[in-house]
């Protein structure tokens, strides 16, 4: 079965950095694009970033550009999100999500349990 397990969340101060990981299993990882999606308290799901099957193409929400970097290691079936210059509004539960094709889109068929990112002074 498909499994996506996020890790790396925690408490950081504004301006700090954090690296999230998502360990994937149960499917051919390099056949699919992957995405990060987050949900802040009281808000809906917000798309964060996406990466194509081979990592050649990456996409970011405007507020993340220049601060976040998505990457993947297909040999390890792992997706990453490096987050720098974190802001209070970045606090959320971050989920990795499997896209249903080789390029990013808005169709996700599996989600992880999420990892909590708290940004507070």
């Amino acid at each position: 079965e498909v499994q996506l397990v996020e890790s790396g969340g925690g408490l950081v101060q504004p301006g700090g950095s954090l690296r999230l990981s998502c360990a994937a299993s149960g499917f051919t990882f390099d056949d699919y694009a992957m995405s990060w999606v987050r949900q802040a308290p009281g808000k809906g799901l917000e798309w964060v970033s996406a990466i194509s099957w081979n990592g050649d193409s990456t996409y970011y929400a405007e507020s993340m550009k220049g601060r976040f970097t998505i990457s993947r290691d297909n040999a390890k079936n792992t997706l990453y999100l490096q987050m720098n210059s974190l802001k209070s509004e970045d606090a959320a539960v971050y989920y990795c999500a499997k896209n249903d094709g080789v390029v990013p889109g808005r169709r996700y068929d599996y989600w992880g349990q999420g990892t909590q990112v708290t940004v507070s002074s």
Side-chain angles (χ1 to χ4, degrees):
E1 66 188 63
V2 172
Q3 288 187 297
L4 300 171
V5 182
E6 300 95 337
S7 62
L11 173 65
V12 295
Q13 296 185 52
S17 297
L18 210 57
R19 191 191 198 198
L20 307 183
S21 298
C22 172
S25 61
F27 65 101
T28 305
F29 186 64
D30 61 3
D31 276 351
Y32 297 93
M34 296 291 294
S35 296
W36 287 97
V37 183
R38 70 186 185 186
Q39 186 170 34
K43 296 186 177 181
L45 293 169
E46 179 186 22
W47 174 75
V48 173
S49 185
I51 188 167
S52 61
W53 69 278
N54 61 357
D56 285 350
S57 299
T58 58
Y59 306 87
Y60 302 91
E62 282 296 323
S63 63
M64 288 79 177
K65 290 182 178 178
R67 301 189 300 122
F68 290 9
T69 303
I70 190 171
S71 62
R72 65 192 297 162
D73 186 339
N74 286 345
K76 296 182 178 180
N77 288 357
T78 303
L79 176 73
Y80 302 98
L81 184 68
Q82 177 67 46
M83 304 185 293
N84 299 325
S85 301
L86 284 162
K87 305 173 181 179
S88 296
E89 55 262 40
D90 293 321
V93 176
Y94 285 71
Y95 301 91
C96 65
K98 173 183 174 292
N99 286 104
D100 66 350
V102 297
V103 296
R106 295 296 181 269
R107 295 182 294 188
Y108 316 108
D109 50 16
Y110 292 94
W111 302 71
Q113 292 294 325
T115 185
Q116 177 71 55
V117 172
T118 302
V119 184
S120 177
S121 59

